[in-house]
Protein backbone atom coordinates (compact mmCIF):
# COMPACT_ATOMS: atom_id res chain seq x y z
CA UNK A 1 0.00 0.00 0.00
CA UNK A 2 1.18 3.51 -0.81
CA UNK A 3 1.59 6.33 1.66
CA UNK A 4 -1.63 7.86 0.37
CA UNK A 5 -3.57 4.74 1.38
CA UNK A 6 -2.01 4.72 4.82
CA UNK A 7 -2.81 8.39 5.33
CA UNK A 8 -6.40 7.82 4.19
CA UNK A 9 -6.90 4.83 6.51
CA UNK A 10 -5.32 6.68 9.40
CA UNK A 11 -7.63 9.62 8.75
CA UNK A 12 -10.66 7.33 8.81
CA UNK A 13 -9.47 5.76 12.05
CA UNK A 14 -8.93 9.15 13.68
CA UNK A 15 -12.36 10.31 12.51
CA UNK A 16 -13.98 7.16 13.88
CA UNK A 17 -12.28 7.59 17.25
CA UNK A 18 -13.11 11.30 17.41
CA UNK A 19 -16.79 10.61 16.77
CA UNK A 20 -17.26 8.89 20.09
CA UNK A 21 -19.32 5.90 21.13
CA UNK A 22 -22.15 6.47 18.64
CA UNK A 23 -19.88 5.91 15.64
CA UNK A 24 -20.18 2.13 15.93
CA UNK A 25 -24.02 2.15 15.83
CA UNK A 26 -23.94 4.60 12.91
CA UNK A 27 -21.50 2.35 11.06
CA UNK A 28 -23.65 -0.71 11.73
CA UNK A 29 -26.76 1.14 10.54
CA UNK A 30 -24.99 2.00 7.28
CA UNK A 31 -23.72 -1.54 6.73
CA UNK A 32 -27.11 -3.13 7.42
CA UNK A 33 -29.00 -0.57 5.34
CA UNK A 34 -26.76 -0.86 2.29
CA UNK A 35 -26.68 -4.66 2.59
CA UNK A 36 -30.46 -4.96 2.29
CA UNK A 37 -30.55 -2.23 -0.35
CA UNK A 38 -28.09 -4.01 -2.62
CA UNK A 39 -29.78 -7.34 -1.89
CA UNK A 40 -33.02 -5.93 -3.30
CA UNK A 41 -31.17 -4.66 -6.36
CA UNK A 42 -29.70 -8.11 -6.96
CA UNK A 43 -33.12 -9.77 -6.61
CA UNK A 44 -34.66 -7.41 -9.15
CA UNK A 45 -31.66 -7.89 -11.44
CA UNK A 46 -31.12 -5.98 -14.64
CA UNK A 47 -34.72 -4.74 -14.67
CA UNK A 48 -33.63 -2.23 -12.04
CA UNK A 49 -31.62 -0.31 -14.64
CA UNK A 50 -33.31 -1.19 -17.95
CA UNK A 51 -35.27 1.56 -19.69
CA UNK A 52 -37.51 -0.71 -21.79
CA UNK A 53 -39.73 -1.91 -18.92
CA UNK A 54 -42.72 0.03 -20.24
CA UNK A 55 -42.35 -1.56 -23.69
CA UNK A 56 -42.48 -5.21 -22.58
CA UNK A 57 -46.26 -5.39 -22.25
CA UNK A 58 -46.77 -3.53 -25.55
CA UNK A 59 -44.57 -6.02 -27.38
CA UNK A 60 -46.33 -8.94 -25.73
CA UNK A 61 -49.75 -7.51 -26.67
CA UNK A 62 -48.59 -7.08 -30.27
CA UNK A 63 -47.36 -10.68 -30.40
CA UNK A 64 -50.57 -12.06 -28.89
CA UNK A 65 -52.69 -9.88 -31.16
CA UNK A 66 -50.89 -11.22 -34.21
CA UNK A 67 -51.37 -14.73 -32.91
CA UNK A 68 -55.06 -14.06 -32.37
CA UNK A 69 -55.50 -13.26 -36.07
CA UNK A 70 -53.58 -16.41 -36.97
CA UNK A 71 -55.73 -18.45 -34.60
CA UNK A 72 -58.91 -17.21 -36.22
CA UNK A 73 -57.62 -18.17 -39.65
CA UNK A 74 -55.56 -21.30 -39.17
CA UNK A 75 -56.17 -22.45 -35.58
CA UNK A 76 -52.45 -22.03 -34.73
CA UNK A 77 -50.80 -20.83 -31.55
CA UNK A 78 -48.20 -18.70 -33.27
CA UNK A 79 -48.91 -15.65 -31.10
CA UNK A 80 -48.32 -17.53 -27.84
CA UNK A 81 -45.09 -19.03 -29.12
CA UNK A 82 -43.91 -15.67 -30.38
CA UNK A 83 -44.69 -13.95 -27.06
CA UNK A 84 -42.96 -16.66 -25.03
CA UNK A 85 -39.90 -16.56 -27.27
CA UNK A 86 -39.59 -12.78 -27.03
CA UNK A 87 -40.08 -12.73 -23.26
CA UNK A 88 -37.49 -15.46 -22.72
CA UNK A 89 -35.03 -13.64 -24.94
CA UNK A 90 -35.49 -10.42 -22.98
CA UNK A 91 -35.06 -12.07 -19.59
CA UNK A 92 -35.20 -10.18 -16.35
CA UNK A 93 -37.73 -10.43 -13.56
CA UNK A 94 -40.60 -8.92 -15.57
CA UNK A 95 -39.94 -11.03 -18.65
CA UNK A 96 -39.69 -14.21 -16.59
CA UNK A 97 -42.94 -13.60 -14.72
CA UNK A 98 -44.90 -12.67 -17.86
CA UNK A 99 -43.47 -15.66 -19.69
CA UNK A 100 -44.68 -18.00 -16.93
CA UNK A 101 -48.07 -16.28 -17.00
CA UNK A 102 -48.43 -16.80 -20.77
CA UNK A 103 -47.51 -20.47 -20.44
CA UNK A 104 -50.02 -21.01 -17.62
CA UNK A 105 -52.78 -19.19 -19.51
CA UNK A 106 -52.12 -21.22 -22.66
CA UNK A 107 -52.04 -24.59 -20.88
CA UNK A 108 -54.71 -24.11 -18.21
CA UNK A 109 -56.83 -20.96 -18.69
CA UNK A 110 -59.29 -21.89 -15.93
CA UNK A 111 -56.67 -21.63 -13.18
CA UNK A 112 -54.95 -18.53 -14.56
CA UNK A 113 -56.69 -15.97 -12.31
CA UNK A 114 -55.94 -17.86 -9.10
CA UNK A 115 -52.38 -18.48 -10.23
CA UNK A 116 -51.74 -14.81 -10.99
CA UNK A 117 -53.18 -13.58 -7.69
CA UNK A 118 -50.89 -15.82 -5.69
CA UNK A 119 -47.91 -15.35 -7.99
CA UNK A 120 -48.24 -11.57 -8.00
CA UNK A 121 -48.35 -11.43 -4.23
CA UNK A 122 -45.27 -13.63 -3.91
CA UNK A 123 -43.33 -11.66 -6.52
CA UNK A 124 -44.07 -8.29 -4.91
CA UNK A 125 -43.07 -9.64 -1.50
CA UNK A 126 -39.91 -11.05 -3.06
CA UNK A 127 -38.97 -7.63 -4.46
CA UNK A 128 -39.85 -5.79 -1.25
CA UNK A 129 -38.06 -8.20 1.07
CA UNK A 130 -35.86 -6.24 3.47
CA UNK A 131 -36.74 -2.80 2.09
CA UNK A 132 -38.41 -1.80 5.37
CA UNK A 133 -35.09 -2.39 7.13
CA UNK A 134 -33.45 0.09 4.75
CA UNK A 135 -36.02 2.70 5.77
CA UNK A 136 -35.42 1.98 9.45
CA UNK A 137 -31.65 2.34 9.08
CA UNK A 138 -32.02 5.54 7.04
CA UNK A 139 -34.17 7.00 9.83
CA UNK A 140 -31.97 5.72 12.66
CA UNK A 141 -28.65 7.07 11.33
CA UNK A 142 -29.39 10.81 11.73
CA UNK A 143 -30.98 10.16 15.13
CA UNK A 144 -27.80 8.43 16.24
CA UNK A 145 -25.86 11.40 14.90
CA UNK A 146 -28.06 13.69 16.97
CA UNK A 147 -27.38 11.52 20.00
CA UNK A 148 -23.67 11.96 19.32
CA UNK A 149 -24.20 15.70 19.19
CA UNK A 150 -25.83 15.64 22.62
CA UNK A 151 -23.12 13.46 24.18
CA UNK A 152 -20.39 15.63 22.64
CA UNK A 153 -21.93 18.82 24.01
CA UNK A 154 -22.37 17.19 27.44
CA UNK A 155 -18.67 16.34 27.42
CA UNK A 156 -17.86 19.92 26.44
CA UNK A 157 -19.91 21.37 29.29
CA UNK A 158 -18.30 18.96 31.75
CA UNK A 159 -14.88 20.23 30.68
CA UNK A 160 -16.05 23.83 31.03
CA UNK A 161 -17.38 23.05 34.51
CA UNK A 162 -14.08 21.56 35.61
CA UNK A 163 -11.53 23.79 33.88
CA UNK A 164 -13.45 26.84 32.69
CA UNK A 165 -13.49 28.15 29.14
CA UNK A 166 -10.05 29.67 29.06
CA UNK A 167 -8.42 26.72 27.28
CA UNK A 168 -10.19 25.84 23.97
CA UNK A 169 -7.97 22.80 23.46
CA UNK A 170 -9.71 20.99 26.31
CA UNK A 171 -13.12 21.66 24.74
CA UNK A 172 -12.06 20.54 21.25
CA UNK A 173 -12.69 16.84 21.86
CA UNK A 174 -16.32 17.32 22.87
CA UNK A 175 -17.06 19.71 20.03
CA UNK A 176 -15.32 17.41 17.56
CA UNK A 177 -17.38 14.46 18.80
CA UNK A 178 -20.61 16.43 18.38
CA UNK A 179 -19.84 17.57 14.82
CA UNK A 180 -18.33 14.33 13.49
CA UNK A 181 -21.15 12.13 14.80
CA UNK A 182 -23.76 14.42 13.26
CA UNK A 183 -21.90 14.47 9.96
CA UNK A 184 -21.51 10.70 9.92
CA UNK A 185 -25.20 10.12 10.59
CA UNK A 186 -26.18 12.40 7.72
CA UNK A 187 -23.63 10.81 5.37
CA UNK A 188 -25.25 7.42 6.01
CA UNK A 189 -28.87 8.57 5.92
CA UNK A 190 -28.72 10.77 2.81
CA UNK A 191 -27.68 8.14 0.21
CA UNK A 192 -29.83 5.46 1.84
CA UNK A 193 -32.91 7.69 1.58
CA UNK A 194 -32.29 8.59 -2.07
CA UNK A 195 -31.49 5.04 -3.17
CA UNK A 196 -34.45 3.63 -1.22
CA UNK A 197 -36.74 6.07 -3.04
CA UNK A 198 -35.35 4.91 -6.37
CA UNK A 199 -35.85 1.28 -5.33
CA UNK A 200 -39.47 1.88 -4.33
CA UNK A 201 -40.20 3.60 -7.65
CA UNK A 202 -38.74 0.70 -9.64
CA UNK A 203 -40.65 -1.90 -7.62
CA UNK A 204 -43.89 0.01 -8.19
CA UNK A 205 -43.20 0.24 -11.95
CA UNK A 206 -42.53 -3.50 -12.17
CA UNK A 207 -45.67 -4.29 -10.14
CA UNK A 208 -47.84 -2.12 -12.39
CA UNK A 209 -46.43 -3.70 -15.53
CA UNK A 210 -46.98 -7.20 -14.16
CA UNK A 211 -50.59 -6.36 -13.37
CA UNK A 212 -51.05 -4.81 -16.81
CA UNK A 213 -49.41 -7.83 -18.45
CA UNK A 214 -51.67 -10.20 -16.52
CA UNK A 215 -54.72 -8.25 -17.71
CA UNK A 216 -53.52 -8.40 -21.32
CA UNK A 217 -52.90 -12.14 -21.10
CA UNK A 218 -56.31 -12.68 -19.55
CA UNK A 219 -58.03 -10.70 -22.30
CA UNK A 220 -56.23 -12.42 -25.17
CA UNK A 221 -55.97 -15.99 -23.90
CA UNK A 222 -58.36 -16.71 -21.01
CA UNK A 223 -61.49 -14.85 -22.07
CA UNK A 224 -61.09 -15.83 -25.74
CA UNK A 225 -60.95 -19.49 -24.76
CA UNK A 226 -63.97 -19.11 -22.46
CA UNK A 227 -66.01 -17.66 -25.28
Amino acid sequence: MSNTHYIFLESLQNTYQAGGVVMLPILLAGVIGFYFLFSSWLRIGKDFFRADVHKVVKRMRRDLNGGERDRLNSKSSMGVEMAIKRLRKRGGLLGRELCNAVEIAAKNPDSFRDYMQVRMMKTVRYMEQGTHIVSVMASAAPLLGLLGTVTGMVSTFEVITLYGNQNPVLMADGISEALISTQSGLLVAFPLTLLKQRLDERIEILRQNMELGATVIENYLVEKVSC
Side-chain angles (χ1 to χ4, degrees), residues 156 159-160 163-176:
T156 302
V159 171
I160 293 175
Y163 303 101
N165 59 356
Q166 300 301 320
N167 191 346
V169 176
L170 296 176
M171 297 184 294
D173 289 341
I175 297 174
S176 176

Side-chain angles (χ1 to χ4, degrees), residues 5-144:
H5 293 152
Y6 280 117
I7 294 174
F8 177 72
L9 293 177
E10 185 177 0
S11 176
L12 288 179
Q13 183 179 0
N14 293 335
T15 301
Y16 177 81
Q17 293 174 351
V21 294
V22 298
M23 291 298 290
L24 179 59
I26 291 175
L27 180 62
L28 290 177
V31 171
I32 294 173
F34 281 105
Y35 170 78
F36 282 99
L37 182 71
F38 290 125
S39 297
S40 298
W41 284 6
L42 292 176
R43 283 194 297 272
I44 294 175
K46 56 186 179 181
D47 275 342
F48 189 86
F49 301 98
R50 295 184 68 165
D52 65 337
V53 174
H54 298 284
K55 300 178 181 178
V56 177
V57 177
K58 294 181 181 179
R59 294 168 183 166
M60 183 184 69
R61 180 190 287 117
R62 185 169 59 246
D63 292 337
L64 293 176
N65 190 36
E68 178 64 22
R69 291 194 297 267
D70 294 337
R71 206 163 35 248
L72 293 174
N73 296 329
S74 59
K75 305 297 182 181
S76 67
S77 59
M78 186 65 68
V80 174
E81 296 176 358
M82 186 183 304
I84 292 175
K85 181 179 180 181
R86 190 187 297 272
L87 291 171
R88 284 179 177 172
K89 183 178 180 180
R90 181 192 180 276
L93 180 66
L94 181 60
R96 183 174 66 250
E97 293 300 321
L98 292 180
C99 181
N100 291 336
V102 173
E103 291 177 344
I104 292 296
K107 294 179 181 178
N108 194 357
D110 296 333
S111 63
F112 175 75
R113 291 185 179 89
D114 295 335
Y115 167 80
M116 284 306 301
Q117 289 178 355
V118 176
R119 185 69 180 181
M120 191 80 65
M121 186 181 301
K122 290 182 178 179
T123 303
V124 173
R125 287 182 179 178
Y126 174 75
M127 291 189 294
E128 293 179 343
Q129 182 179 352
T131 55
H132 65 286
I133 299 179
V134 180
S135 300
V136 172
M137 295 299 105
S139 301
L143 295 179
L144 291 171

